[in-house]
Amino acid sequence: MDIQNLLSSIQGTLGNSLPGILGALLILIVGWLVAIAIRAGVRRGLKSVGLNKRMGGGFDTESLLSKVAFWVVIAFVMIGVFNALDLAAFSEPLNALVSQVTAFLPKGIAAAVVGLVGWALATGARNVVANGLAQTSLDEKLASEAGVAPVSSNMSNIAYWLVVLLFLP
């Protein structure tokens, strides 16, 4: 086969769809870079707030939330790529998923705000109970007689979890 015939065959086959393919590739590359930048920004912002330290435990919440942000951006990018390639069969289900996620987003943010308020009130209640009981001599009397952990610690934890349970629903 002659090289000229091969090139003309490729040009005839890809000539109409080549701009769409190049556009899709450009959307994919730029979108991926934007998603990485957003992931890094979210992680840096959450690290500056000290979310993992505030949440306690060994779970890496900062990493999880930054990955969620990355994949949400990638979902939007993939919708753009599929639309540029005129692949509606792939973009419509993904678009429906993104629509449901974005419809849930205000409810999720509201739940996070309510959870944050509940956590702050529960922490405040724990501190008030612990400081209030520290002013009394109840801990020394009961701990020395029964040989158990200080009552103020247990009572402050009970107050904390009661407030958390009130905000849980």
Side-chain angles (χ1 to χ4, degrees):
M1 178 177 239
D2 186 20
I3 192 79
Q4 186 65 24
N5 289 338
L6 179 65
L7 290 176
S8 65
S9 174
I10 290 174
Q11 182 181 11
T13 305
L14 294 178
N16 295 335
S17 58
L18 191 60
I21 292 172
L22 292 177
L25 187 60
L26 182 66
I27 291 171
L28 184 63
I29 292 170
V30 170
W32 179 66
L33 292 173
V34 168
I36 288 174
I38 288 175
R39 180 179 178 174
V42 167
R43 187 170 177 100
R44 187 176 301 126
L46 293 175
K47 189 175 284 278
S48 70
V49 172
L51 184 65
N52 281 346
K53 292 176 188 174
R54 293 180 191 270
M55 295 297 286
F59 190 69
D60 190 8
T61 309
E62 297 166 357
S63 177
L64 175 71
L65 291 177
S66 64
K67 286 178 185 176
V68 167
F70 173 82
W71 286 110
V72 167
V73 172
I74 289 295
F76 282 109
V77 168
M78 292 310 295
I79 290 172
V81 167
F82 291 142
N83 285 337
L85 293 173
D86 199 27
L87 295 172
F90 292 107
S91 68
E92 287 175 5
L94 194 56
N95 199 9
L97 173 71
V98 169
S99 297
Q100 287 182 348
V101 168
T102 55
F104 175 74
L105 201 56
K107 294 176 185 176
I109 291 171
V113 168
V114 169
L116 185 63
V117 167
W119 172 75
L121 289 175
T123 302
R126 179 191 308 178
N127 291 338
V128 166
V129 170
N131 291 337
L133 289 176
Q135 301 298 322
T136 67
S137 61
L138 187 63
D139 272 345
E140 291 82 24
K141 290 179 184 176
L142 289 176
S144 65
E145 293 294 325
V148 295
V151 175
S152 62
S153 171
N154 291 331
M155 294 301 286
S156 61
N157 283 333
I158 289 171
Y160 175 83
W161 287 109
L162 281 175
V163 173
V164 167
L165 286 175
L166 290 174
F167 280 87
L168 192 60

